[in-house]
PDB file of all heavy atoms in Angstrom:
ATOM      1  N   ALA A   1      -1.041 -28.249  -2.025  1.00 96.00           N
ATOM      2  CA  ALA A   1      -0.488 -27.228  -2.918  1.00 96.00           C
ATOM      3  C   ALA A   1       1.015 -27.431  -3.094  1.00 96.00           C
ATOM      4  O   ALA A   1       1.534 -27.337  -4.211  1.00 96.00           O
ATOM      5  CB  ALA A   1      -0.779 -25.836  -2.369  1.00 96.00           C
ATOM      6  N   LEU A   2       1.705 -27.729  -2.018  1.00 96.00           N
ATOM      7  CA  LEU A   2       3.145 -27.969  -2.117  1.00 96.00           C
ATOM      8  C   LEU A   2       3.441 -29.238  -2.905  1.00 96.00           C
ATOM      9  O   LEU A   2       4.403 -29.275  -3.680  1.00 96.00           O
ATOM     10  CB  LEU A   2       3.767 -28.033  -0.724  1.00 96.00           C
ATOM     11  CG  LEU A   2       3.803 -26.704   0.027  1.00 96.00           C
ATOM     12  CD1 LEU A   2       4.283 -26.914   1.451  1.00 96.00           C
ATOM     13  CD2 LEU A   2       4.666 -25.686  -0.699  1.00 96.00           C
ATOM     14  N   ASP A   3       2.614 -30.264  -2.735  1.00 97.00           N
ATOM     15  CA  ASP A   3       2.767 -31.487  -3.531  1.00 97.00           C
ATOM     16  C   ASP A   3       2.609 -31.169  -5.016  1.00 97.00           C
ATOM     17  O   ASP A   3       3.343 -31.680  -5.865  1.00 97.00           O
ATOM     18  CB  ASP A   3       1.749 -32.547  -3.119  1.00 97.00           C
ATOM     19  CG  ASP A   3       2.054 -33.192  -1.783  1.00 97.00           C
ATOM     20  OD1 ASP A   3       3.208 -33.081  -1.301  1.00 97.00           O
ATOM     21  OD2 ASP A   3       1.133 -33.810  -1.202  1.00 97.00           O
ATOM     22  N   ARG A   4       1.643 -30.325  -5.335  1.00 97.00           N
ATOM     23  CA  ARG A   4       1.417 -29.926  -6.728  1.00 97.00           C
ATOM     24  C   ARG A   4       2.611 -29.155  -7.275  1.00 97.00           C
ATOM     25  O   ARG A   4       3.023 -29.355  -8.422  1.00 97.00           O
ATOM     26  CB  ARG A   4       0.143 -29.086  -6.812  1.00 97.00           C
ATOM     27  CG  ARG A   4      -0.432 -29.017  -8.188  1.00 97.00           C
ATOM     28  CD  ARG A   4      -1.870 -28.628  -8.152  1.00 97.00           C
ATOM     29  NE  ARG A   4      -1.941 -27.182  -8.148  1.00 97.00           N
ATOM     30  CZ  ARG A   4      -3.039 -26.488  -7.897  1.00 97.00           C
ATOM     31  NH1 ARG A   4      -4.141 -27.096  -7.606  1.00 97.00           N
ATOM     32  NH2 ARG A   4      -3.031 -25.193  -7.927  1.00 97.00           N
ATOM     33  N   LEU A   5       3.198 -28.292  -6.459  1.00 97.00           N
ATOM     34  CA  LEU A   5       4.371 -27.536  -6.872  1.00 97.00           C
ATOM     35  C   LEU A   5       5.545 -28.470  -7.158  1.00 97.00           C
ATOM     36  O   LEU A   5       6.228 -28.319  -8.179  1.00 97.00           O
ATOM     37  CB  LEU A   5       4.756 -26.523  -5.791  1.00 97.00           C
ATOM     38  CG  LEU A   5       5.968 -25.650  -6.089  1.00 97.00           C
ATOM     39  CD1 LEU A   5       5.714 -24.764  -7.305  1.00 97.00           C
ATOM     40  CD2 LEU A   5       6.318 -24.816  -4.865  1.00 97.00           C
ATOM     41  N   VAL A   6       5.757 -29.439  -6.294  1.00 97.00           N
ATOM     42  CA  VAL A   6       6.841 -30.411  -6.499  1.00 97.00           C
ATOM     43  C   VAL A   6       6.602 -31.195  -7.783  1.00 97.00           C
ATOM     44  O   VAL A   6       7.525 -31.413  -8.581  1.00 97.00           O
ATOM     45  CB  VAL A   6       6.962 -31.357  -5.282  1.00 97.00           C
ATOM     46  CG1 VAL A   6       7.869 -32.531  -5.580  1.00 97.00           C
ATOM     47  CG2 VAL A   6       7.455 -30.588  -4.068  1.00 97.00           C
ATOM     48  N   GLU A   7       5.367 -31.599  -8.021  1.00 97.00           N
ATOM     49  CA  GLU A   7       5.032 -32.342  -9.239  1.00 97.00           C
ATOM     50  C   GLU A   7       5.269 -31.494 -10.490  1.00 97.00           C
ATOM     51  O   GLU A   7       5.839 -31.977 -11.479  1.00 97.00           O
ATOM     52  CB  GLU A   7       3.572 -32.799  -9.181  1.00 97.00           C
ATOM     53  CG  GLU A   7       3.154 -33.635 -10.354  1.00 97.00           C
ATOM     54  CD  GLU A   7       1.706 -34.109 -10.231  1.00 97.00           C
ATOM     55  OE1 GLU A   7       1.230 -34.313  -9.104  1.00 97.00           O
ATOM     56  OE2 GLU A   7       1.063 -34.266 -11.284  1.00 97.00           O
ATOM     57  N   LEU A   8       4.855 -30.235 -10.449  1.00 97.00           N
ATOM     58  CA  LEU A   8       5.071 -29.340 -11.591  1.00 97.00           C
ATOM     59  C   LEU A   8       6.551 -29.121 -11.849  1.00 97.00           C
ATOM     60  O   LEU A   8       6.985 -29.061 -13.002  1.00 97.00           O
ATOM     61  CB  LEU A   8       4.380 -27.996 -11.356  1.00 97.00           C
ATOM     62  CG  LEU A   8       2.871 -27.989 -11.506  1.00 97.00           C
ATOM     63  CD1 LEU A   8       2.292 -26.701 -10.952  1.00 97.00           C
ATOM     64  CD2 LEU A   8       2.492 -28.172 -12.963  1.00 97.00           C
ATOM     65  N   ASP A   9       7.313 -29.013 -10.786  1.00 97.00           N
ATOM     66  CA  ASP A   9       8.751 -28.830 -10.973  1.00 97.00           C
ATOM     67  C   ASP A   9       9.380 -30.099 -11.539  1.00 97.00           C
ATOM     68  O   ASP A   9      10.227 -30.036 -12.431  1.00 97.00           O
ATOM     69  CB  ASP A   9       9.424 -28.438  -9.661  1.00 97.00           C
ATOM     70  CG  ASP A   9      10.862 -28.019  -9.871  1.00 97.00           C
ATOM     71  OD1 ASP A   9      11.127 -27.279 -10.846  1.00 97.00           O
ATOM     72  OD2 ASP A   9      11.720 -28.427  -9.085  1.00 97.00           O
ATOM     73  N   HIS A  10       8.945 -31.237 -11.065  1.00 98.00           N
ATOM     74  CA  HIS A  10       9.491 -32.513 -11.561  1.00 98.00           C
ATOM     75  C   HIS A  10       9.124 -32.737 -13.025  1.00 98.00           C
ATOM     76  O   HIS A  10       9.975 -33.086 -13.842  1.00 98.00           O
ATOM     77  CB  HIS A  10       8.970 -33.665 -10.702  1.00 98.00           C
ATOM     78  CG  HIS A  10       9.480 -34.995 -11.137  1.00 98.00           C
ATOM     79  ND1 HIS A  10       8.765 -35.814 -11.984  1.00 98.00           N
ATOM     80  CD2 HIS A  10      10.635 -35.643 -10.854  1.00 98.00           C
ATOM     81  CE1 HIS A  10       9.466 -36.914 -12.205  1.00 98.00           C
ATOM     82  NE2 HIS A  10      10.596 -36.839 -11.530  1.00 98.00           N
ATOM     83  N   ASP A  11       7.853 -32.516 -13.365  1.00 98.00           N
ATOM     84  CA  ASP A  11       7.362 -32.801 -14.719  1.00 98.00           C
ATOM     85  C   ASP A  11       7.694 -31.700 -15.736  1.00 98.00           C
ATOM     86  O   ASP A  11       7.980 -31.995 -16.892  1.00 98.00           O
ATOM     87  CB  ASP A  11       5.847 -33.003 -14.709  1.00 98.00           C
ATOM     88  CG  ASP A  11       5.417 -34.236 -13.934  1.00 98.00           C
ATOM     89  OD1 ASP A  11       6.279 -35.080 -13.615  1.00 98.00           O
ATOM     90  OD2 ASP A  11       4.214 -34.342 -13.624  1.00 98.00           O
ATOM     91  N   LYS A  12       7.617 -30.456 -15.315  1.00 96.00           N
ATOM     92  CA  LYS A  12       7.745 -29.323 -16.246  1.00 96.00           C
ATOM     93  C   LYS A  12       8.956 -28.435 -15.965  1.00 96.00           C
ATOM     94  O   LYS A  12       9.147 -27.422 -16.639  1.00 96.00           O
ATOM     95  CB  LYS A  12       6.490 -28.443 -16.184  1.00 96.00           C
ATOM     96  CG  LYS A  12       5.188 -29.166 -16.373  1.00 96.00           C
ATOM     97  CD  LYS A  12       4.976 -29.552 -17.790  1.00 96.00           C
ATOM     98  CE  LYS A  12       3.571 -30.153 -17.933  1.00 96.00           C
ATOM     99  NZ  LYS A  12       3.361 -30.711 -19.232  1.00 96.00           N
ATOM    100  N   LYS A  13       9.733 -28.771 -14.947  1.00 97.00           N
ATOM    101  CA  LYS A  13      10.898 -27.951 -14.548  1.00 97.00           C
ATOM    102  C   LYS A  13      10.468 -26.506 -14.286  1.00 97.00           C
ATOM    103  O   LYS A  13      11.154 -25.554 -14.647  1.00 97.00           O
ATOM    104  CB  LYS A  13      11.997 -27.988 -15.616  1.00 97.00           C
ATOM    105  CG  LYS A  13      12.423 -29.375 -16.020  1.00 97.00           C
ATOM    106  CD  LYS A  13      13.081 -30.104 -14.885  1.00 97.00           C
ATOM    107  CE  LYS A  13      13.580 -31.468 -15.353  1.00 97.00           C
ATOM    108  NZ  LYS A  13      13.272 -32.534 -14.453  1.00 97.00           N
ATOM    109  N   LEU A  14       9.328 -26.354 -13.638  1.00 96.00           N
ATOM    110  CA  LEU A  14       8.728 -25.044 -13.424  1.00 96.00           C
ATOM    111  C   LEU A  14       9.656 -24.074 -12.701  1.00 96.00           C
ATOM    112  O   LEU A  14       9.801 -22.919 -13.100  1.00 96.00           O
ATOM    113  CB  LEU A  14       7.422 -25.187 -12.634  1.00 96.00           C
ATOM    114  CG  LEU A  14       6.678 -23.897 -12.330  1.00 96.00           C
ATOM    115  CD1 LEU A  14       6.147 -23.290 -13.626  1.00 96.00           C
ATOM    116  CD2 LEU A  14       5.557 -24.140 -11.356  1.00 96.00           C
ATOM    117  N   LEU A  15      10.300 -24.513 -11.652  1.00 97.00           N
ATOM    118  CA  LEU A  15      11.099 -23.617 -10.825  1.00 97.00           C
ATOM    119  C   LEU A  15      12.443 -23.271 -11.456  1.00 97.00           C
ATOM    120  O   LEU A  15      13.171 -22.430 -10.928  1.00 97.00           O
ATOM    121  CB  LEU A  15      11.281 -24.207  -9.429  1.00 97.00           C
ATOM    122  CG  LEU A  15       9.967 -24.451  -8.677  1.00 97.00           C
ATOM    123  CD1 LEU A  15      10.232 -25.119  -7.343  1.00 97.00           C
ATOM    124  CD2 LEU A  15       9.179 -23.160  -8.506  1.00 97.00           C
ATOM    125  N   SER A  16      12.753 -23.878 -12.593  1.00 95.00           N
ATOM    126  CA  SER A  16      13.978 -23.557 -13.321  1.00 95.00           C
ATOM    127  C   SER A  16      13.722 -22.544 -14.431  1.00 95.00           C
ATOM    128  O   SER A  16      14.645 -22.123 -15.118  1.00 95.00           O
ATOM    129  CB  SER A  16      14.570 -24.825 -13.943  1.00 95.00           C
ATOM    130  OG  SER A  16      14.870 -25.763 -12.955  1.00 95.00           O
ATOM    131  N   ARG A  17      12.485 -22.174 -14.600  1.00 95.00           N
ATOM    132  CA  ARG A  17      12.125 -21.231 -15.667  1.00 95.00           C
ATOM    133  C   ARG A  17      12.319 -19.791 -15.210  1.00 95.00           C
ATOM    134  O   ARG A  17      12.482 -19.512 -14.028  1.00 95.00           O
ATOM    135  CB  ARG A  17      10.682 -21.466 -16.094  1.00 95.00           C
ATOM    136  CG  ARG A  17      10.495 -22.838 -16.719  1.00 95.00           C
ATOM    137  CD  ARG A  17       9.046 -23.106 -17.019  1.00 95.00           C
ATOM    138  NE  ARG A  17       8.875 -24.425 -17.565  1.00 95.00           N
ATOM    139  CZ  ARG A  17       8.669 -24.674 -18.838  1.00 95.00           C
ATOM    140  NH1 ARG A  17       8.598 -23.695 -19.705  1.00 95.00           N
ATOM    141  NH2 ARG A  17       8.518 -25.915 -19.248  1.00 95.00           N
ATOM    142  N   ASP A  18      12.253 -18.879 -16.160  1.00 95.00           N
ATOM    143  CA  ASP A  18      12.444 -17.462 -15.877  1.00 95.00           C
ATOM    144  C   ASP A  18      11.115 -16.859 -15.419  1.00 95.00           C
ATOM    145  O   ASP A  18      10.428 -16.180 -16.187  1.00 95.00           O
ATOM    146  CB  ASP A  18      12.979 -16.769 -17.137  1.00 95.00           C
ATOM    147  CG  ASP A  18      13.523 -15.386 -16.846  1.00 95.00           C
ATOM    148  OD1 ASP A  18      13.559 -14.988 -15.666  1.00 95.00           O
ATOM    149  OD2 ASP A  18      13.911 -14.706 -17.807  1.00 95.00           O
ATOM    150  N   ILE A  19      10.759 -17.152 -14.166  1.00 97.00           N
ATOM    151  CA  ILE A  19       9.494 -16.685 -13.598  1.00 97.00           C
ATOM    152  C   ILE A  19       9.775 -15.989 -12.269  1.00 97.00           C
ATOM    153  O   ILE A  19      10.834 -16.163 -11.665  1.00 97.00           O
ATOM    154  CB  ILE A  19       8.493 -17.836 -13.389  1.00 97.00           C
ATOM    155  CG1 ILE A  19       9.055 -18.892 -12.423  1.00 97.00           C
ATOM    156  CG2 ILE A  19       8.104 -18.456 -14.722  1.00 97.00           C
ATOM    157  CD1 ILE A  19       8.073 -19.988 -12.074  1.00 97.00           C
ATOM    158  N   THR A  20       8.798 -15.191 -11.834  1.00 97.00           N
ATOM    159  CA  THR A  20       8.945 -14.484 -10.564  1.00 97.00           C
ATOM    160  C   THR A  20       7.939 -14.928  -9.521  1.00 97.00           C
ATOM    161  O   THR A  20       8.146 -14.700  -8.329  1.00 97.00           O
ATOM    162  CB  THR A  20       8.786 -12.963 -10.765  1.00 97.00           C
ATOM    163  OG1 THR A  20       7.489 -12.690 -11.298  1.00 97.00           O
ATOM    164  CG2 THR A  20       9.864 -12.423 -11.686  1.00 97.00           C
ATOM    165  N   MET A  21       6.820 -15.586  -9.955  1.00 98.00           N
ATOM    166  CA  MET A  21       5.778 -15.933  -9.008  1.00 98.00           C
ATOM    167  C   MET A  21       4.993 -17.148  -9.483  1.00 98.00           C
ATOM    168  O   MET A  21       4.731 -17.302 -10.681  1.00 98.00           O
ATOM    169  CB  MET A  21       4.824 -14.739  -8.845  1.00 98.00           C
ATOM    170  CG  MET A  21       3.781 -14.887  -7.764  1.00 98.00           C
ATOM    171  SD  MET A  21       2.205 -15.579  -8.321  1.00 98.00           S
ATOM    172  CE  MET A  21       1.720 -14.499  -9.624  1.00 98.00           C
ATOM    173  N   VAL A  22       4.634 -18.010  -8.519  1.00 98.00           N
ATOM    174  CA  VAL A  22       3.732 -19.136  -8.756  1.00 98.00           C
ATOM    175  C   VAL A  22       2.594 -18.982  -7.762  1.00 98.00           C
ATOM    176  O   VAL A  22       2.820 -18.890  -6.553  1.00 98.00           O
ATOM    177  CB  VAL A  22       4.433 -20.494  -8.535  1.00 98.00           C
ATOM    178  CG1 VAL A  22       3.456 -21.643  -8.753  1.00 98.00           C
ATOM    179  CG2 VAL A  22       5.646 -20.638  -9.428  1.00 98.00           C
ATOM    180  N   ASP A  23       1.369 -18.945  -8.258  1.00 98.00           N
ATOM    181  CA  ASP A  23       0.199 -18.773  -7.401  1.00 98.00           C
ATOM    182  C   ASP A  23      -0.560 -20.093  -7.336  1.00 98.00           C
ATOM    183  O   ASP A  23      -1.086 -20.571  -8.338  1.00 98.00           O
ATOM    184  CB  ASP A  23      -0.695 -17.675  -7.961  1.00 98.00           C
ATOM    185  CG  ASP A  23      -1.796 -17.257  -7.006  1.00 98.00           C
ATOM    186  OD1 ASP A  23      -2.142 -18.049  -6.101  1.00 98.00           O
ATOM    187  OD2 ASP A  23      -2.318 -16.146  -7.174  1.00 98.00           O
ATOM    188  N   LEU A  24      -0.616 -20.676  -6.146  1.00 97.00           N
ATOM    189  CA  LEU A  24      -1.290 -21.961  -5.930  1.00 97.00           C
ATOM    190  C   LEU A  24      -2.555 -21.798  -5.095  1.00 97.00           C
ATOM    191  O   LEU A  24      -3.066 -22.769  -4.545  1.00 97.00           O
ATOM    192  CB  LEU A  24      -0.331 -22.925  -5.218  1.00 97.00           C
ATOM    193  CG  LEU A  24       0.958 -23.234  -5.952  1.00 97.00           C
ATOM    194  CD1 LEU A  24       1.937 -23.943  -5.035  1.00 97.00           C
ATOM    195  CD2 LEU A  24       0.682 -24.075  -7.178  1.00 97.00           C
ATOM    196  N   ARG A  25      -3.077 -20.594  -4.994  1.00 95.00           N
ATOM    197  CA  ARG A  25      -4.219 -20.343  -4.108  1.00 95.00           C
ATOM    198  C   ARG A  25      -5.518 -20.950  -4.602  1.00 95.00           C
ATOM    199  O   ARG A  25      -6.384 -21.283  -3.799  1.00 95.00           O
ATOM    200  CB  ARG A  25      -4.397 -18.844  -3.893  1.00 95.00           C
ATOM    201  CG  ARG A  25      -3.246 -18.236  -3.103  1.00 95.00           C
ATOM    202  CD  ARG A  25      -3.394 -16.758  -2.942  1.00 95.00           C
ATOM    203  NE  ARG A  25      -3.219 -16.111  -4.243  1.00 95.00           N
ATOM    204  CZ  ARG A  25      -3.333 -14.816  -4.445  1.00 95.00           C
ATOM    205  NH1 ARG A  25      -3.639 -14.014  -3.451  1.00 95.00           N
ATOM    206  NH2 ARG A  25      -3.135 -14.309  -5.642  1.00 95.00           N
ATOM    207  N   LEU A  26      -5.676 -21.115  -5.887  1.00 94.00           N
ATOM    208  CA  LEU A  26      -6.909 -21.709  -6.417  1.00 94.00           C
ATOM    209  C   LEU A  26      -6.682 -23.188  -6.673  1.00 94.00           C
ATOM    210  O   LEU A  26      -5.702 -23.561  -7.321  1.00 94.00           O
ATOM    211  CB  LEU A  26      -7.325 -21.007  -7.710  1.00 94.00           C
ATOM    212  CG  LEU A  26      -7.645 -19.518  -7.561  1.00 94.00           C
ATOM    213  CD1 LEU A  26      -7.900 -18.903  -8.921  1.00 94.00           C
ATOM    214  CD2 LEU A  26      -8.829 -19.316  -6.642  1.00 94.00           C
ATOM    215  N   PRO A  27      -7.572 -24.036  -6.191  1.00 90.00           N
ATOM    216  CA  PRO A  27      -7.332 -25.478  -6.292  1.00 90.00           C
ATOM    217  C   PRO A  27      -7.406 -26.039  -7.713  1.00 90.00           C
ATOM    218  O   PRO A  27      -6.844 -27.082  -7.992  1.00 90.00           O
ATOM    219  CB  PRO A  27      -8.433 -26.089  -5.421  1.00 90.00           C
ATOM    220  CG  PRO A  27      -9.493 -25.042  -5.343  1.00 90.00           C
ATOM    221  CD  PRO A  27      -8.804 -23.722  -5.474  1.00 90.00           C
ATOM    222  N   ASP A  28      -8.053 -25.325  -8.637  1.00 93.00           N
ATOM    223  CA  ASP A  28      -8.234 -25.857  -9.986  1.00 93.00           C
ATOM    224  C   ASP A  28      -7.288 -25.265 -11.025  1.00 93.00           C
ATOM    225  O   ASP A  28      -7.391 -25.573 -12.206  1.00 93.00           O
ATOM    226  CB  ASP A  28      -9.683 -25.659 -10.441  1.00 93.00           C
ATOM    227  CG  ASP A  28     -10.072 -24.203 -10.538  1.00 93.00           C
ATOM    228  OD1 ASP A  28      -9.450 -23.370  -9.836  1.00 93.00           O
ATOM    229  OD2 ASP A  28     -10.995 -23.883 -11.299  1.00 93.00           O
ATOM    230  N   ARG A  29      -6.333 -24.411 -10.592  1.00 95.00           N
ATOM    231  CA  ARG A  29      -5.408 -23.823 -11.563  1.00 95.00           C
ATOM    232  C   ARG A  29      -4.152 -23.312 -10.868  1.00 95.00           C
ATOM    233  O   ARG A  29      -4.146 -23.056  -9.674  1.00 95.00           O
ATOM    234  CB  ARG A  29      -6.060 -22.710 -12.355  1.00 95.00           C
ATOM    235  CG  ARG A  29      -6.356 -21.473 -11.532  1.00 95.00           C
ATOM    236  CD  ARG A  29      -7.215 -20.513 -12.261  1.00 95.00           C
ATOM    237  NE  ARG A  29      -8.536 -21.112 -12.299  1.00 95.00           N
ATOM    238  CZ  ARG A  29      -9.623 -20.510 -12.676  1.00 95.00           C
ATOM    239  NH1 ARG A  29      -9.580 -19.286 -13.075  1.00 95.00           N
ATOM    240  NH2 ARG A  29     -10.775 -21.121 -12.677  1.00 95.00           N
ATOM    241  N   VAL A  30      -3.138 -23.140 -11.674  1.00 96.00           N
ATOM    242  CA  VAL A  30      -1.873 -22.568 -11.218  1.00 96.00           C
ATOM    243  C   VAL A  30      -1.592 -21.369 -12.102  1.00 96.00           C
ATOM    244  O   VAL A  30      -1.668 -21.465 -13.326  1.00 96.00           O
ATOM    245  CB  VAL A  30      -0.715 -23.587 -11.335  1.00 96.00           C
ATOM    246  CG1 VAL A  30       0.608 -22.941 -10.981  1.00 96.00           C
ATOM    247  CG2 VAL A  30      -0.973 -24.803 -10.461  1.00 96.00           C
ATOM    248  N   SER A  31      -1.279 -20.242 -11.490  1.00 97.00           N
ATOM    249  CA  SER A  31      -0.912 -19.053 -12.249  1.00 97.00           C
ATOM    250  C   SER A  31       0.580 -18.818 -12.072  1.00 97.00           C
ATOM    251  O   SER A  31       1.114 -19.000 -10.981  1.00 97.00           O
ATOM    252  CB  SER A  31      -1.679 -17.832 -11.744  1.00 97.00           C
ATOM    253  OG  SER A  31      -3.054 -18.005 -11.927  1.00 97.00           O
ATOM    254  N   VAL A  32       1.215 -18.399 -13.154  1.00 97.00           N
ATOM    255  CA  VAL A  32       2.648 -18.149 -13.138  1.00 97.00           C
ATOM    256  C   VAL A  32       2.898 -16.778 -13.740  1.00 97.00           C
ATOM    257  O   VAL A  32       2.302 -16.417 -14.754  1.00 97.00           O
ATOM    258  CB  VAL A  32       3.389 -19.231 -13.955  1.00 97.00           C
ATOM    259  CG1 VAL A  32       4.878 -18.946 -14.010  1.00 97.00           C
ATOM    260  CG2 VAL A  32       3.131 -20.608 -13.386  1.00 97.00           C
ATOM    261  N   ARG A  33       3.778 -16.006 -13.113  1.00 96.00           N
ATOM    262  CA  ARG A  33       4.144 -14.702 -13.656  1.00 96.00           C
ATOM    263  C   ARG A  33       5.572 -14.790 -14.179  1.00 96.00           C
ATOM    264  O   ARG A  33       6.497 -15.147 -13.458  1.00 96.00           O
ATOM    265  CB  ARG A  33       4.068 -13.619 -12.591  1.00 96.00           C
ATOM    266  CG  ARG A  33       4.448 -12.239 -13.159  1.00 96.00           C
ATOM    267  CD  ARG A  33       4.323 -11.133 -12.150  1.00 96.00           C
ATOM    268  NE  ARG A  33       2.930 -11.026 -11.725  1.00 96.00           N
ATOM    269  CZ  ARG A  33       2.560 -10.751 -10.478  1.00 96.00           C
ATOM    270  NH1 ARG A  33       3.449 -10.581  -9.540  1.00 96.00           N
ATOM    271  NH2 ARG A  33       1.286 -10.660 -10.168  1.00 96.00           N
ATOM    272  N   GLN A  34       5.735 -14.447 -15.446  1.00 95.00           N
ATOM    273  CA  GLN A  34       7.060 -14.434 -16.056  1.00 95.00           C
ATOM    274  C   GLN A  34       7.844 -13.217 -15.563  1.00 95.00           C
ATOM    275  O   GLN A  34       7.260 -12.207 -15.176  1.00 95.00           O
ATOM    276  CB  GLN A  34       6.959 -14.316 -17.570  1.00 95.00           C
ATOM    277  CG  GLN A  34       6.340 -15.493 -18.251  1.00 95.00           C
ATOM    278  CD  GLN A  34       6.249 -15.258 -19.744  1.00 95.00           C
ATOM    279  OE1 GLN A  34       5.863 -14.185 -20.187  1.00 95.00           O
ATOM    280  NE2 GLN A  34       6.597 -16.265 -20.513  1.00 95.00           N
ATOM    281  N   SER A  35       9.153 -13.316 -15.637  1.00 93.00           N
ATOM    282  CA  SER A  35       9.974 -12.133 -15.374  1.00 93.00           C
ATOM    283  C   SER A  35       9.733 -11.146 -16.515  1.00 93.00           C
ATOM    284  O   SER A  35       9.245 -11.517 -17.593  1.00 93.00           O
ATOM    285  CB  SER A  35      11.450 -12.501 -15.296  1.00 93.00           C
ATOM    286  OG  SER A  35      11.935 -12.834 -16.579  1.00 93.00           O
TER     287      SER A  35
END
């Protein structure tokens, strides 16, 4: 899950976006909550 988070941040700049939560609990999807 952490590897996936690093990849998403590298490819999509996920952690630089205006979001409050990233949910990696399900192996087949990532949920993101916007601010």
